[in-house]
Amino acid sequence: MTAHSKAGATLRTPAAVAVVVALAVALFSLSTVETLPVGLLPVIAADLDVSRSAVGLLVTGYGVVVAVASVPLTHLARRAPRRALLIGLLVLFVLANLVSAAAPGYWVLLAARITVALTHAVFWSIVAATAAGLFPPEVRGRVVAGLFSGLSLAGVVGVPAGTWLGQQFGWRVPFVVMSAFGFLALVTVTALLPSTALGGGHASVGAEPSARRFAVLMVTTALVICGVFTGYTYITAFLTDVTGFSQGAVAPLLLASGIAGIAGTYVAGAFVDRHPRHTMVLAVGLLTATMLGLYLFGGARPAAVCLVALLGFSMASMTTSLQSRILQVAPGSTEIASAVGSAVFNVGIAGGSLLGGLLLPTALGVEGAVLVGGVLAVGALAVLLGEPWVARREKPRADRRPSPVSAA
C-alpha cells in the first residue's frame, strides 16, 4: 500500500468528510465570486464611476484567465504537496477578496479579480483528485458529487444572496463574506488534511487511462457547453419574449432551475461510480433534448417551466459526470486532465455566449440561438456515442500507468 492510499484510508473518517465539505465550501465561494459582479453591475459601476461594460469585463476577463492559465499553472504546480498548495491558494483567495472589497478604484479591483481567477484555475484542477484520493476508488463519483454541491449552491444561494447583500449594504460586503467562507475552508484544510496528501493518491492518475476517450470527452464538452450557453446566456430574453413571462417571473424560474441542479448533482453521483460512461451519455442526451424541447415547446408556459428546471438538472448531472469521467480516462495526471477540462469548459461558455450574441440581432433571434445550441448539443451527443468506435484500436494502458507517488 502506498503512502497515498494509507493517507486516504486513515482519513476515511469524519475528518475526511469534513475536508470534502471544506473544499465544497471553497468551490462555493470561488464560483460565487466568479459571477458576483453580474448581479452587482450597476452598483459597482456607479460607485467606481465606470461604465457597465467595464464591470462586465470583470466577469469576462475572469473566465478568459481561467481558460488560458489552468493548464500551464497546474503543470507548474504539479510537484507541490497538495496540502501546502491548497493552503496557499486559499490564503491567496481570502486576501484577494479582501483587496476587492477595499479596492479604491477599478484597476485595483480588476487586478484582485485576476488574482482570484489564477487561484481558481489551479484550485479547480486539483480539488477533485485531492478529495477523491481521501476515499476508496469505488466511491469517487459520490465524493465528486458532494464536492460539486458547492458549485450548485453557488448558483442557487451564493449569487442571489450576494446580490441582495450588495444591493442592501454595498457591493463590497459580499466579497468580505466570501472571504470569510474561504477562511473557514482554509482553517479546516490546514487542521485536517494530512501532510502526506501529496497528490490525489489513487486519483492522481486515470483509473482506465485512454488518450482517445479523453479526446472524445473534451470534444463533447466543448460542443455541448457551447451549445447550452448559446441559448442559456439569453434565457431571460427567451422567457420574456418567446414564452411571455414577466421580468419578475424569471428569477423564481432560475431559482427552480438551480434547485433542480442540486438534485442533478446527487442523482449523477449515485450512478456514476457504477455506470460512468452511461451516466455521461444520459446527461448529454438530456441536455440535448432540453435545448431542442425549448425551441419546439418553449412558447408554452408549462413546458417552459419544466424545461428550464430540466436544464438545471441535466447541466449539473453533466458537470458531475464529466469530472468523474476525467478521473477515469485521464491519459496521464488527472490534475492536468482536469485543467484541460476546465479550460475547454470555459472556452465553451465564452464561445456559446459569443455565438448567441451574434445570432440575437439576426432574423433567427433568441429562438434561433436556442435552436443552434440544440444542434451543437446533438453534435456533442453523436461524438460521445462514437467513443467506443474511436477507442477500439487503442491499446490498453493499464500496465503503463504511473504510480500515484511518481505522478505527484
Side-chain angles (χ1 to χ4, degrees):
M1 183 179 287
T2 66
H4 291 284
S5 60
K6 287 179 181 177
T10 57
L11 261 195
R12 201 185 182 195
T13 62
V17 175
V19 170
V20 173
V21 170
L23 295 176
V25 168
L27 269 183
F28 167 82
S29 304
L30 275 167
S31 300
T32 299
V33 165
E34 180 177 8
T35 55
L36 194 54
V38 172
L40 300 174
L41 190 146
V43 184
I44 295 175
D47 185 56
L48 298 182
D49 194 26
V50 295
S51 67
R52 294 189 178 192
S53 61
V55 178
L57 285 175
L58 296 175
V59 177
T60 306
Y62 189 110
V64 170
V65 169
V66 172
V68 172
S70 290
V71 175
L73 286 184
T74 303
H75 180 73
L76 287 174
R78 69 192 185 281
R79 298 190 182 280
R82 288 307 173 256
R83 179 177 181 273
L85 181 58
L86 283 170
I87 289 172
L89 291 171
L90 288 170
V91 167
L92 197 58
F93 172 76
V94 170
L95 293 178
N97 274 296
L98 291 177
V99 171
S100 295
Y106 176 79
W107 294 107
V108 174
L109 178 58
L110 179 61
R113 292 279 299 173
I114 290 173
T115 302
V116 175
L118 293 172
T119 302
H120 190 143
V122 181
F123 187 88
W124 184 276
S125 302
I126 69 171
V127 67
T130 301
L134 300 175
F135 294 84
E138 58 269 20
V139 296
R140 277 186 185 183
R142 277 170 279 176
V143 174
V144 170
L147 186 66
F148 275 32
S149 63
L151 180 63
S152 299
L153 285 170
V156 178
V157 179
V159 174
T163 300
W164 181 84
L165 281 173
Q167 291 170 344
Q168 299 299 315
F169 305 106
W171 67 267
R172 301 173 189 273
V173 172
F175 286 96
V176 175
V177 173
M178 289 303 109
S179 189
F181 277 118
F183 182 75
L184 288 174
L186 170 63
V187 170
T188 304
V189 169
T190 302
L192 298 178
L193 188 65
S195 58
T196 51
L198 301 177
H202 61 80
S204 64
V205 290
E208 300 174 10
S210 170
R212 292 191 181 188
R213 291 184 186 275
F214 180 73
V216 167
L217 192 62
M218 292 301 98
V219 173
T220 299
T221 301
L223 286 172
V224 75
I225 296 303
C226 183
V228 168
F229 279 87
T230 297
Y232 184 73
T233 304
Y234 306 97
I235 193 66
T236 298
F238 184 90
L239 291 172
T240 54
D241 298 350
V242 177
T243 313
F245 282 110
S246 66
Q247 286 283 351
V250 173
L253 286 172
L254 296 181
L255 176 62
S257 179
I259 294 172
I262 296 175
T265 297
Y266 285 102
V267 169
F271 291 99
V272 75
D273 287 314
R274 289 172 291 170
H275 309 288
R277 182 173 175 275
H278 291 155
T279 305
M280 182 71 183
V281 169
L282 285 173
V284 173
L286 200 54
L287 273 175
T288 302
T290 303
M291 293 299 294
L292 294 176
L294 274 173
Y295 172 73
L296 293 171
F297 309 112
R301 292 188 181 187
V305 170
C306 294
L307 287 165
V308 169
L310 191 58
L311 184 63
F313 178 92
S314 53
M315 185 65 182
S317 298
M318 196 283 294
T319 305
T320 301
S321 303
L322 170 64
Q323 186 58 60
S324 296
R325 189 69 173 149
I326 287 174
L327 293 180
Q328 183 183 29
V329 303
S333 163
T334 53
E335 294 178 350
I336 296 297
S338 295
V340 173
S342 176
V344 168
F345 202 98
N346 279 276
V347 168
I349 291 173
S353 299
L354 176 62
L355 180 57
L358 293 174
L359 291 170
L360 211 59
T362 69
L364 293 174
V366 69
E367 288 181 279
V370 171
L371 174 60
V372 171
V375 171
L376 286 170
V378 169
L381 182 60
V383 170
L384 188 57
L385 290 173
E387 179 189 314
W389 179 82
V390 172
R392 186 175 300 162
R393 296 184 180 180
E394 186 175 31
K395 294 180 180 179
R397 297 184 58 192
D399 56 333
R400 291 186 281 138
R401 287 175 59 192
S403 71
V405 175
S406 63

